[in-house]
Amino acid sequence: MKVKLDHIAIAVKSINDSIKLFESLGLKFDDHREEVVSQKVKTAFCKIDEFSKIELLEATSKESTIQKFIDKKGEGIHHLCFRVASVRELQTKLSQKGMNFIYEEPFIGAGNCLVNFIHPKSANGILIEISEKLK
Ligand code: ZN
């Protein structure tokens, strides 16, 4: 399986306000909002092409990592996500090379995907999500 860019995630204060910006560019967001309870975030997706998306992330609690990100850096690009064949296999391989992951174990993220995040310190300062679509 070829690795693809799945989405670019942007931390925003308000999904509804941010959507207006992207819709003014001619993009169309899904009406569906998904809450990832474990991450204390609400998400909205917009297709860019047949595969890649923009994901808007809004905190649902002050304890959310998205709220902490916005408090520290302001709104902006939060992470890139790549679709891979197997999150667990890739995590094992990269960990053996000394790369650090945010979570010890992958977890279920938005859209029924198994995900984990490579620590920015191991990835040129970029938070990278790796994602595997579950059946
Ligand atoms: Zn993501």
Side-chain angles (χ1 to χ4, degrees), residues 32-50:
H32 177 69
R33 303 281 175 269
E34 186 171 345
E35 198 172 332
V36 183
V37 177
S38 68
Q39 299 294 298
K40 302 184 177 72
V41 292
K42 205 161 71 178
T43 67
F45 283 94
C46 153
K47 274 193 166 173
I48 302 294
D49 55 31
E50 61 300 339

Side-chain angles (χ1 to χ4, degrees), residues 7 9 45 55 57 79-81 117 129:
H7 61 267
F45 283 94
E55 175 185 33
L57 294 167
H79 64 266
L80 301 182
C81 175
F117 291 86
E129 178 179 13

Side-chain angles (χ1 to χ4, degrees), residues 86-102:
S86 166
V87 167
R88 285 181 199 282
E89 266 177 43
L90 187 58
Q91 183 174 346
T92 304
K93 206 165 101 186
L94 297 180
S95 298
Q96 282 165 354
K97 289 186 179 170
M99 289 170 75
N100 293 319
F101 281 75
I102 303 284

